[in-house]
Amino acid sequence: MIRIGNIKLSLNDDESILKKKISRLLGIEPSRIKSFEIVKKAIDARDKTDVHFVYSVDALLDSNEEKIVSRKKRGDITIKPKAESNPFPVPTLPKRRPVVVGAGPAGLFAALTLAKSGAKPILIERGESVFDRAKSVESFFNGDKLNTESNVQFGEGGAGAFSDGKLNSGTHDRRRFEVYKTFIEHGAPSEIMYTKNPHLGSDNLPKIVSGIRESIKALGGDVYFSCKMTNILTKDGKVCGVLCTHPDGELTFETEDLILAVGHSARDVFSLLLDMGVSLSQKPFAMGVRIEHLQSDIDKCQYGAFAGHKALGAADYKLSNRFSDGRCVYTFCMCPGGSVINSSSEEGGIVTNGMSLFARNLKNANSALLVNVTPEDFGGSSPIAGVEMQRKIEKAAFSLGGKNYRAPAQTVEGYFTGRKTGFGKISPTFLPGVVEADISSLFPDYIAENLKRGLSQFPKYIKAFADDEAVLTAPETRSSSPVRIDRDEKLMSPSLSGLYPCGEGAGYAGGILSSAVDGIKVAESVLKI
C-alpha cells in the first residue's frame, strides 16, 4: 500500500473526492486504485482565511506501487511501512480466577483481556452499572442526596463515563489500536481511528461501556456491581483473596492475582494499602478551576470567518505556559459545547469536572485551568498527603458554596478585582447551581496567583480567553492521582506479591486511552505474555 499525506480538502468538499485526489497525486487513473482508507484527518486553521481539512490515506493499487512511489519526489508519498508481526503468545492461565477491582477503562480492558484468554476474571465495582449510575448522578444534579458509592467518580465506566470521552493521549503503545478497535466493535464511531482528537461523547459511553461488560460476561467472566472491596486478604506476603460488601451480604473471592484499577478518587483504598504496608509514594498533580466561555466566541477565535461552518463543529484549544519559577499553568480536558459538572464523591466536598455530548452542541465551552502541584507543596511526608490537600480545598469549597453542593464561582473580572459582578452573557452550567464567591480564598497563593498569570497570558493565543464575563467555577482538584501505588518491572507491587496496581488511580495513566492500554498491559503480565 502507498501512504499519501497532506491531501487538502475544503470544508465544502465531500470525502468521496479523495479517490480523484489520490489518482492525481500519484499520476494514475482512478480505476487503478483498488481501495483506500483514511488514516488521519485534521483541521488546519493556522491561516484564518483558509481553514481546511488535511488527510492522510493508505491506497492499495493494482500493481507497480514501488515504481510509482519512486517517481514521486514528495516526502509525503511513501510505501506504507509493514506492520510488525506480533503473534499473540500462549497465555499462562492463573490457578485461581483473577480479580479486577474497578470497572473504569483500566479495569474493563484488563478484565476483557483476561476473559479473551480464557481466565474467567471476576470484575467487582463499588458503584452501580452505568445506566443505574446515570440515574443516581442525575438525581444528585437535581438536588437530591449524594450517593458516595455511585457518582461521577465511582461506578461502571469510571470517571470518564461522565466526561467528553476524549481518546487523545501521548501514548504510542501499539495496544492503543486494540482499544480503538474494541470501542468501535461496541458502538463507537469508526472515525476515532483517524481523527486528530477523537472523542466518544458522554451520551455514547454508557452503550459502549455496557457492551464491553457483556462481552466479558459472554467470555466467562463475572461482574458484580455495588460490590465494595473492604480488605485484601494475604498469606505469607502474597495476595490470597479480597473481602467485599455487597447487597447480598459479605463476599469473599479467593485469588492469587488482584488487579487494582480503582481510579484516582478511591481514597479509602489508598488508606487501606498504607495501613497494610503496601508501598505508596507521592506524585505530582495539578489543581485549579473550570473556566467557561461562549462556544461561539471560541469558534471565532480559532476559525475566523469560517466559525459556525457545519463541517467544523465546535472548536477546541490547548494552552500552556511555564514560568521561570518552575510553575506551569495550562488548560486540561477542554470540553467544546459542553457543561461543567459536579464530580463530588465525598460528603461535604465540592469537585468540578467537564463533559460534552458527542455532538458538542451546547452553548458553552469549558476547560480546566490548572496549576502544577508538586510533593513539596503537600505539607507532609505521608504518601497520601496530596489527598489531604485535595480534601481540605474541597471542603472549603463546600462551605463557601453554602453547604448544599452548590459550587463557588465568579467571573474573570470578579477574580481580578475582588468584587461581585453577577453573571452576564455566560451562564454557569454547574448543577445543582453556583454561589458567587471569592474562589481565590480556596487556594494557596501560588495557585491563586498563577491562575491570574495564565488568564493574563492566554488571550495572546485565544483572544476571548480572559473575557471579563467568563465564568470560573471551583475547585478542579482531581486532574490526576496525587498518589502512586509502586510497582516493579512485572507491574506488581514490590511489597505484596500478586497485587497489580493499574491505571490512573495507581499513577500510571492519564485519561481513557492510556488507562485502557495500562489495563491490557497489566492483564498480559498476569497471563505472563
Side-chain angles (χ1 to χ4, degrees), residues 218-404:
L219 291 164
D222 288 316
V223 182
Y224 293 81
F225 294 115
S226 301
C227 189
K228 181 179 179 179
M229 183 186 74
T230 56
N231 203 3
I232 300 173
L233 307 178
T234 64
K235 183 178 181 180
D236 300 327
K238 299 179 180 180
V239 168
C240 65
V242 291
L243 192 64
C244 306
T245 58
H246 185 267
D248 293 338
E250 193 170 76
L251 301 178
T252 301
F253 299 104
E254 294 183 354
T255 188
E256 296 176 359
D257 300 284
L258 175 61
I259 296 178
L260 210 56
V262 294
H264 57 42
S265 295
R267 296 165 168 176
D268 53 338
V269 176
F270 298 150
S271 296
L272 170 64
L273 296 176
L274 190 64
D275 291 343
M276 292 180 64
V278 172
S279 178
L280 310 176
S281 55
Q282 296 179 342
K283 179 184 141 314
F285 68 113
M287 289 196 290
V289 299
R290 276 274 153 183
I291 183 166
E292 288 189 271
H293 304 90
L294 291 180
Q295 181 62 52
S296 58
D297 288 343
I298 301 300
D299 292 345
K300 291 173 187 175
C301 289
Q302 295 293 69
Y303 298 146
F306 293 89
H309 194 290
K310 63 180 182 180
L312 288 171
D316 61 8
Y317 58 77
K318 186 177 182 180
L319 304 171
S320 179
N321 208 325
R322 184 174 293 277
F323 300 104
S324 58
D325 60 3
R327 292 291 177 190
C328 182
V329 183
Y330 63 98
T331 62
F332 173 76
C333 187
M334 192 271 165
C335 297
S339 55
V340 178
I341 62 171
N342 191 332
S343 299
S344 302
S345 61
E346 294 183 339
E347 290 184 358
I350 293 290
V351 182
T352 67
N353 198 0
M355 67 166 281
S356 296
L357 303 178
F358 184 73
R360 291 176 163 176
N361 58 359
L362 300 183
K363 186 176 181 180
N364 287 2
N366 75 82
S367 174
L369 179 63
L370 304 177
V371 178
N372 67 311
V373 179
T374 69
E376 290 74 24
D377 300 317
F378 291 177
S381 59
S382 168
I384 59 173
V387 170
E388 294 308 318
M389 181 184 186
Q390 289 174 322
R391 184 177 278 139
K392 179 180 178 181
I393 290 171
E394 291 163 11
K395 287 184 175 294
F398 182 78
S399 296
L400 200 59
K403 300 183 180 181
N404 56 0

Side-chain angles (χ1 to χ4, degrees), residues 92-98 254-257 528:
T92 302
L93 297 183
K95 294 179 182 177
R96 290 179 176 169
R97 297 174 69 182
E254 294 183 354
T255 188
E256 296 176 359
D257 300 284
K528 298 179 176 60

Side-chain angles (χ1 to χ4, degrees), residues 19-20 23 28-35 60-63:
K19 188 172 184 178
K20 186 180 292 185
S23 69
I28 62 174
E29 291 297 320
S31 59
R32 292 198 57 194
I33 303 170
K34 296 177 68 176
S35 65
L60 178 65
L61 307 188
D62 56 5
S63 62

Side-chain angles (χ1 to χ4, degrees), residues 98 100 125 134 173 200 214 223 285 350 378 402 455 479 495 502 508:
V100 180
E125 166 57 54
D173 191 294
L200 301 172
E214 291 305 312
V223 182
F285 68 113
I350 293 290
F378 291 177
L455 288 165
S479 60
S495 49
C502 181
Y508 298 98

Side-chain angles (χ1 to χ4, degrees), residues 289 393 396-402 407-423 434-445 448-449 451-452 472-475:
V289 299
I393 290 171
F398 182 78
S399 296
L400 200 59
Q410 64 187 145
T411 63
V412 166
E413 180 185 0
Y415 189 67
F416 276 98
T417 64
R419 298 193 303 267
K420 287 190 174 183
T421 63
F423 301 108
V434 300
V435 172
E436 189 175 9
D438 177 17
I439 59 178
S440 64
S441 65
L442 296 173
F443 300 110
D445 288 344
E449 291 305 312
L451 289 175
K452 289 182 179 179
L472 305 175
T473 307

Side-chain angles (χ1 to χ4, degrees), residues 142-170:
N142 288 331
D144 290 343
K145 185 178 180 181
L146 171 67
N147 182 340
T148 57
E149 297 302 329
S150 192
N151 44 60
V152 170
Q153 304 292 354
F154 300 141
E156 186 181 25
F162 292 93
S163 69
D164 186 63
K166 297 176 186 64
L167 299 180
N168 47 308
S169 170

